[in-house]
Amino acid sequence: MSLRLPNPPLRAPDAETGAGSAGKRYGIAIVGNDKIIDWLLPFLESYRDTNSSLPIYLIPYDDNVAMTRKAADIYGATYIAEEPVEIDRLSHELYPGFFNNNRRRLRKLQALALPLDEVAYVDVDVILFRDFTPAFGKLEEGKTEFIVASPSFEYVYNERREKYPFLKDVLLFNDGFWVTSNKYLKLSDFIDTMRDDAAIFHDVRKRGQLFAQPLVNFVTHRRGLKIELLPNVVENASHESFYKAPGVTFRDGKPVDYEGKEIYFAHWAGATALPSRGVFDPAWTEYSRAAWARFKK
C-alpha cells in the first residue's frame, strides 16, 4: 500500500522525557466513523488537551463519515482518504462469513502504512490523560519492537495454542493501544503470515466477535517481535487503562493506579453504553460536552 500523504511535522527530542532522536516522525492513528461519533469527539477533545503537538491520522471505518470528516477538520487530523485495498482483501479472506462491519476492524492496520517512523495506534473508545511523547523513541531492535499497555489473557487464543511452541510464554495483549515502527512490523507482514499460517491462526484464535485482536497478537508472536509493556519502557507508567480498574485515584487532575503509577489513558473496552458513573466517567463527560460545543459552533 502506498499512501500519498503530507509528511507530518518533525518532533524534536525532549531532553526530560527521552522522547527520541531529532528528526524522527512520531504520530497517533485512530479509526472512526459517524456511528461512533459520540466516542470519537471526546477522544479528539482529550487529544487536543494532552497531545496536540503530535500529528494525528484518522482512518475511516467505512463511508459513513460526514461528521467524522468535519471532526477531523476541527481537530487538525489528517483524514486518510485512500481505500485500504490490501487490508480489506485480507479481512475478506480471513473472515468470509462475516459482515463488513466486523471485518473492517482490521482497518487499524493501516496505521502501519503511515509516513511515520513510529506510530501509536489508539482505539477511540478512549480518552487520553497524558502526553504520549515519553512512549516514543523507546523502540530498539531485538529488545523492544512493539509496545502495548495492557495484557489480555482471555480474549486472544483458545486452548489449542498449547500445540504450538512459538505461542508458549508469549505476552497476550489488548490491541486497543500499541506503539511500533514499520521497521519492525509492516502491513506486508500480516499478508505474508496469513498466506503461510492462516490454518494455524484459525486453529488458535479466540472466537466471539474478536477479529483484529487475535490477528495482531498472532502476527507479532509468529514473527517473534520483542513485545514490551508500557511500564517497562516509560518510567512510572501504569499498565492500567481499563475503565473499571479498581483503586484509581486522581492526583493534580490526572489518574493514578493503586500503586500511584501514572495512567496514560482510559479505555472503555467492551462497554455497552456511554460512560456515566465510573471513576473515569466525569472526565469523559466533560470532554464530550466540550467537544460537542466545539463541533456545533
Side-chain angles (χ1 to χ4, degrees):
M1 181 186 298
S2 175
L3 296 177
R4 297 180 293 276
L5 300 173
N7 286 331
L10 298 180
R11 287 274 299 171
D14 185 319
E16 293 185 0
T17 62
S21 302
K24 291 284 188 178
R25 292 183 170 91
Y26 305 145
I28 297 172
I30 59 174
V31 176
N33 70 351
D34 289 4
K35 184 176 181 180
I36 58 168
I37 194 70
D38 284 328
W39 289 105
L40 176 63
L41 286 177
F43 174 92
L44 288 171
E45 188 69 22
S46 73
Y47 156 80
R48 180 181 183 274
D49 188 38
T50 60
N51 281 273
S52 60
S53 62
L54 286 167
I56 188 167
Y57 293 82
L58 202 164
I59 300 163
Y61 191 79
D62 54 24
D63 295 330
N64 180 24
V65 289
M67 290 188 291
T68 299
R69 297 196 74 148
K70 178 181 177 182
D73 289 340
I74 290 171
Y75 288 95
T78 298
Y79 180 88
I80 309 302
E82 186 168 338
E83 287 290 316
V85 175
E86 292 172 297
I87 296 170
D88 287 350
R89 183 186 301 121
L90 176 64
S91 71
H92 279 75
E93 291 171 354
L94 288 179
Y95 305 116
F98 292 89
F99 294 112
N100 274 337
N101 63 337
N102 291 318
R103 291 194 295 250
R104 288 194 180 108
R105 297 181 193 181
L106 270 60
R107 286 191 169 189
K108 65 175 60 179
L109 301 181
Q110 197 167 6
L112 299 171
L114 296 174
L116 297 167
D117 294 293
E118 296 181 15
V119 62
Y121 169 79
V122 192
D123 280 353
V124 295
D125 52 348
V126 158
I127 56 172
L128 310 179
F129 285 106
R130 301 178 191 275
D131 181 9
F132 275 16
T133 298
F136 291 106
K138 302 299 174 65
L139 298 176
E140 182 179 346
E141 186 173 1
K143 183 178 179 182
T144 304
E145 299 167 337
F146 194 85
I147 300 169
V148 299
S150 304
S152 178
F153 303 111
E154 301 290 332
Y155 302 106
V156 177
Y157 299 131
N158 59 46
E159 67 280 358
R160 289 189 293 275
R161 63 175 287 206
E162 300 298 329
K163 295 162 43 180
Y164 302 98
F166 73 91
L167 293 178
K168 184 179 180 180
D169 298 327
V170 293
L171 174 62
L172 310 184
F173 57 85
N174 184 306
D175 79 332
F177 169 89
W178 39 264
V179 178
T180 194
S181 166
N182 58 22
K183 178 180 178 182
Y184 305 120
L185 186 65
K186 300 182 289 294
L187 176 57
S188 61
D189 292 332
F190 284 80
I191 295 168
D192 293 345
T193 302
M194 288 302 101
R195 180 195 61 219
D196 298 335
D197 293 316
I200 299 175
F201 170 66
H202 287 301
D203 190 37
V204 301
R205 71 178 176 90
K206 186 87 168 184
R207 268 59 173 181
Q209 298 302 302
L210 297 168
F211 298 91
Q213 183 156 294
L215 179 64
V216 177
N217 272 264
F218 183 85
V219 172
T220 56
H221 296 149
R222 188 61 171 136
R223 303 191 77 82
L225 266 68
K226 302 302 181 182
I227 304 170
E228 272 290 1
L229 286 167
L230 186 65
N232 294 336
V233 295
V234 175
E235 185 177 0
N236 203 41
S238 174
H239 77 275
E240 191 59 79
S241 61
F242 188 46
Y243 75 107
K244 290 183 179 180
V248 174
T249 57
F250 280 74
R251 182 188 301 154
D252 299 325
K254 306 289 186 181
V256 295
D257 66 16
Y258 71 98
E259 294 180 311
K261 294 186 176 181
E262 297 174 342
I263 295 173
Y264 272 69
F265 63 93
H267 187 191
W268 280 262
T272 57
L274 294 178
S276 60
R277 290 178 291 184
V279 66
F280 297 110
D281 295 354
W284 185 94
T285 300
E286 181 58 26
Y287 277 131
S288 177
R289 182 202 62 75
W292 278 109
R294 195 182 308 279
F295 187 81
K296 293 175 179 179
K297 279 185 180 178

